[in-house]
Amino acid sequence: MLSAPLGRRLAPMATRACVSRAGAAGPAAAGSVEATIRAKLEQALSPEVLELRNESGGHAVPPGSETHFRVAVVSARFEGLSPLQRHRLVHEALAEELAGPVHALAIQARTPAQWRENPQLDTSPPCLGGSKKTRGTP
Amino acid sequence: MSASLGRAAAALLRWGRGASGGVLPGAGVRAASSGAGGGGQAEQLDAMVKKDKVVVFLKGTPEQPQCGFSNAVVQILRLHGVRDYAAYNVLDDPELRQGIKDYSNWPTIPQVFLNGEFVGGCDILLQMHQNGDLVEELKKLGIRSALLDEKTDQDSK
């Protein structure tokens, strides 16, 4: 299975992958992007369950960044929609953030029944360093 | 090996200004070139995603992915034994990096296209891999997943 070995490697990666860049400013208020994501998804999708994790610490961005997130959204609104359609709904709700500070968004979009079968937020694969030439753009 | 090969592949992948013809970088994965030609950005991307059955836009290359999510796409394709696919490295071209997001109306990389149709990113491909949909979609393209052969081997023991 793909995710298990990747998941095991994630923890050590979190400590060595975080590369500080001099001069980069953090967000104005700690967790403000996270709070905004949560609020917008709640408004757009009325989720039964919303689990949001800031995964920026596992990537090559400064400490305190809010650039990489993983979200599990459980909503009846997803019934009958393909995975692609579900993800697009999430993107629509977070269009501003995705055009702005959010660089990566891992999405688990489930119906309530699907969530009950497997109620957990997965882990993301370890960062492989990202772009060395450009910075700031997703 | 992979660094110089990556640069060579990247040069061929120069979007909109590439050399014609492809080079086999070793594992059967084609360093796809978009070729010269007129038309707008959308038309060029349209041609790129339709030229090959399996097309992916990655950060980095299949030999040297530079992003965990892009790597996941590469690994999934490898698990299924998909060796012949077009891989475009968006880190080499900011216009491509933004252009493909506009084309697909999808904000992130990696992006996967099957038979010219946008399928999704890493999460969706992983889901398709886990629930068997990817084997079916590949079959529709005339690609037999290696996972089917593994299963067959196990059944016959």
Side-chain angles (χ1 to χ4, degrees), chain B residues 46-63:
Chain B
D46 202 59
M48 283 162 79
V49 307
K50 292 188 162 116
K51 203 163 47 144
D52 299 278
K53 288 180 183 176
V54 180
V55 178
V56 299
F57 294 82
L58 306 172
K59 290 186 180 177
T61 64
E63 295 78 20

Side-chain angles (χ1 to χ4, degrees), chain A residues 36-48 50 73-78 81 86-95 97:
Chain A
T36 304
I37 292 176
R38 199 174 284 279
K40 286 190 177 178
L41 289 176
E42 273 166 9
Q43 177 161 29
L45 296 168
S46 305
E48 276 187 20
L50 179 61
V73 189
V74 182
S75 171
R77 298 254 183 104
F78 291 142
L81 297 185
R86 298 179 188 190
H87 285 217
R88 287 202 189 279
L89 279 184
V90 175
H91 289 161
E92 262 173 47
L94 301 176
E97 286 65 36

